[in-house]
Amino acid sequence: MGIKYIDEMALAHKKVFIRVDFNLPMKDGKIVNDLRLKESLPTIQHAREQGAKIILASHLGRPEGKIVSKLSLEPIAELLLFYLKESVIFSHNCEANGNKKIVQDMKEGSVLLLENLRFHPGEEANSVHFANQLSKLCNVYINDAFGAIHRIHASVEALPKIVSVKGAGFLIKKEIEALTYLLKKPKKPYTIIIGGKKVSDKIGLLNCLLDQVDAIIIGGAMAYTFLRAMGIKTGNSLVEEDKITVARDLLQRAKKNQVRLLLPIDHVVGKRLRDDTPVEVTLGSEVPDGWMGCDIGPKTIELYGKIISESQTVMWNGPLGAFEFKPFETGTKKIAETVGKNRGYTVVGGGDSVAAIQAFKSHYKFSHVSTGGGASLEFLEGKILPGLEALKS
Ligand code: ADP
Ligand code: MG
């Protein structure tokens, strides 16, 4: 691929800037899920063992170029300290000026975490000036932020173009290997499960993979746009009116290519997305007036489960229902179990899907749990990823 990996590079006595993805899901100032941080530890540890000075940088949320104190990386510095068990220095800004001296005085093997990169307007603007400033902190650049690899942002794109010694970390290596398996040599039958909120987020992937898979399983709110495209009543379910035609086209292409495309045959319906809402299970694929389809029903779980169990390769992206609410978690939970029990090659991706499997504390094993939502979709669509391109010398 023309990209160097961190274990092929000399890091001793170097100032190594590592772009990590510490964009962890937070709720009320608390970290809800630290998968991305944990997955970046092998790269950080390796650089430490090699005797580098390490400068870590990440974004968190969408502060839009302004300082938003609840999006500070400070709580994440504490978590990092917990995992590394040694001093982690936190810098309250992400600019080069204040940090140059800190890096100079740092011991080899120690770690500096910069404040949220997106507090600086230059980050999302892919500012060469901002990247130039950051480049003054280091002599080696490593990207291990797989979740941000599709972004044209200064720390991902402009910066590695400036630093001549650059490469990718272990997390990116692992992600690329796992996703490449899906593109190159998946064992058949190959099934993809696509759920989540919006057709528009995932239609690109569905279009790309249509010729490669044996079955497409659709769940989540997405399913209702497809059902509408088939002329089935969807009640108050979320439907993207402007995507009905796109959905209809995909249904026709699937039919022509003899790919099984499955939609829910029953639903758990509710009045609204709340824990205490009244719920019903429909008899068939129609959603009655006044109700909203919030999860796949028991017959659908059984049907989907059978197809998943018979598959040798499974890729899953997007929850099958509004799993954050107790009455609508079963579909996602059961599908997580079935995918987890499958002894073939199984990949789960998508921010909410990964949050779901972790929230269920399912002990089932997946071949790969991707830390990238949009990034893994774009990779599978064969799109050029700016962060990877910038690493090529
Ligand atoms: P991912 O992050 O895994 O790619 P998405 O962001 O596409 O997933 O979608 C996740 C969201 O979709 C969740 O917040 C979930 O509540 C919502 N969702 C899933 N099914 C439904 C449904 N039937 N009605 C409303 N919202 C749904
Ligand atoms: Mg999401």
Side-chain angles (χ1 to χ4, degrees):
M1 215 181 216
I3 293 170
K4 264 209 171 125
Y5 287 105
I6 188 168
D7 50 347
E8 305 164 75
M9 301 167 75
L11 304 181
H13 317 301
K14 299 275 166 58
K15 295 175 281 182
V16 180
F17 183 102
I18 309 180
R19 174 54 161 102
V20 284
D21 182 5
F22 286 174
N23 182 32
L24 309 182
M26 313 268 284
K27 205 176 172 188
D28 308 323
K30 288 216 169 70
I31 298 158
V32 188
N33 177 325
D34 64 359
L35 176 80
R36 287 170 167 175
L37 184 138
K38 272 196 197 145
E39 290 286 341
S40 67
L41 293 174
T43 294
I44 300 169
Q45 288 291 28
H46 175 81
R48 292 184 70 202
E49 283 157 18
Q50 297 291 305
K53 294 183 178 185
I54 297 141
I55 303 112
L56 298 179
S58 174
H59 72 282
L60 175 64
R62 297 178 182 272
E64 301 190 331
K66 288 187 288 282
I67 296 172
V68 177
S69 54
K70 66 171 199 274
L71 293 176
S72 169
L73 285 179
E74 199 163 7
I76 295 177
E78 279 167 37
L79 184 67
L80 189 64
L81 177 61
F82 168 79
Y83 282 117
L84 296 181
K85 295 186 177 65
E86 260 173 87
S87 72
V88 171
I89 309 161
F90 178 70
S91 168
H92 286 276
N93 74 73
C94 61
E95 298 189 40
N97 288 345
N99 289 306
K100 246 172 131 175
K101 176 90 173 69
I102 304 179
V103 176
Q104 202 178 8
D105 297 341
M106 260 164 84
K107 278 199 310 235
E108 288 174 353
S110 58
V111 176
L112 168 69
L113 174 64
L114 305 185
E115 182 55 288
N116 193 343
L117 289 166
R118 288 193 189 166
F119 283 1
H120 194 293
E123 170 64 0
E124 288 188 84
N126 199 29
S127 149
V128 174
H129 176 73
F130 181 48
N132 241 319
Q133 294 295 309
L134 291 175
S135 76
K136 299 206 166 89
L137 293 175
C138 67
N139 33 40
V140 176
Y141 171 91
I142 298 291
N143 194 339
D144 210 21
F146 183 73
I149 201 80
H150 58 316
R151 303 286 186 206
I152 307 178
H153 293 169
S155 65
V156 177
E157 215 266 345
L159 177 59
K161 283 186 166 164
I162 298 169
V163 185
S164 56
V165 184
K166 58 198 166 186
F170 295 120
L171 174 57
I172 286 192
K173 188 176 186 178
K174 185 164 123 181
E175 293 272 9
I176 289 179
E177 279 170 4
L179 298 173
T180 302
Y181 174 89
L182 293 183
L183 286 178
K184 291 266 163 73
K185 45 175 186 191
K187 267 204 192 145
K188 300 269 192 167
Y190 175 15
T191 297
I192 59 169
I193 310 159
I194 300 289
K197 218 172 232 161
K198 286 168 83 207
V199 173
S200 37
D201 284 349
K202 293 172 190 176
I203 193 80
L205 182 76
L206 286 171
N207 267 317
C208 278
L209 295 189
L210 190 65
D211 301 321
Q212 300 166 38
V213 301
D214 301 290
I216 298 176
I217 286 177
I218 295 183
M222 283 218 354
Y224 300 98
T225 304
F226 282 92
L227 289 173
R228 266 286 270 290
M230 292 170 70
I232 293 170
K233 279 174 68 178
T234 53
N236 290 343
S237 313
L238 288 180
V239 169
E240 283 171 275
E241 300 288 341
D242 59 338
K243 291 291 174 296
I244 295 176
T245 324
V246 185
R248 195 174 291 131
D249 287 347
L250 191 91
L251 289 167
Q252 278 165 1
R253 270 192 65 209
K255 200 168 170 192
K256 210 172 114 210
N257 293 17
Q258 292 179 317
V259 173
R260 286 185 82 180
L261 192 149
L262 292 110
L263 289 161
I265 51 171
D266 63 348
H267 315 271
V268 178
V269 295
K271 292 284 181 187
R272 54 183 70 88
L273 292 175
R274 277 175 56 160
D275 281 320
D276 58 356
T277 187
V279 296
E280 297 266 357
V281 175
T282 64
L283 290 174
S285 54
E286 283 193 0
V287 177
D289 288 340
W291 292 87
M292 175 167 52
C294 301
D295 193 10
I296 54 173
K299 283 191 256 173
T300 308
I301 293 176
E302 203 184 315
L303 171 70
Y304 287 3
K306 191 163 180 294
I307 294 167
I308 295 165
S309 307
E310 289 164 358
S311 303
Q312 297 269 2
T313 307
V314 180
M315 199 278 286
W316 172 27
N317 184 298
L320 291 122
F323 72 95
E324 299 93 330
F325 307 94
K326 202 84 193 147
F328 310 123
E329 67 171 21
T330 314
T332 306
K333 219 173 186 168
K334 292 283 180 199
I335 295 302
E337 268 175 39
T338 316
V339 179
K341 277 184 189 157
N342 186 304
R343 288 285 131 263
Y345 195 79
T346 54
V347 176
V348 186
D352 291 290
S353 318
V354 172
I357 59 172
Q358 299 216 320
F360 300 150
K361 299 206 178 4
S362 109
H363 52 277
Y364 300 106
K365 288 264 184 293
F366 304 95
S367 308
H368 181 67
V369 177
S370 180
T371 56
S376 43
L377 296 182
E378 291 196 16
F379 188 91
L380 291 172
E381 283 172 45
K383 285 195 183 156
I384 288 178
L385 299 171
L388 284 184
E389 281 303 300
L391 291 179
K392 296 181 180 166
S393 34

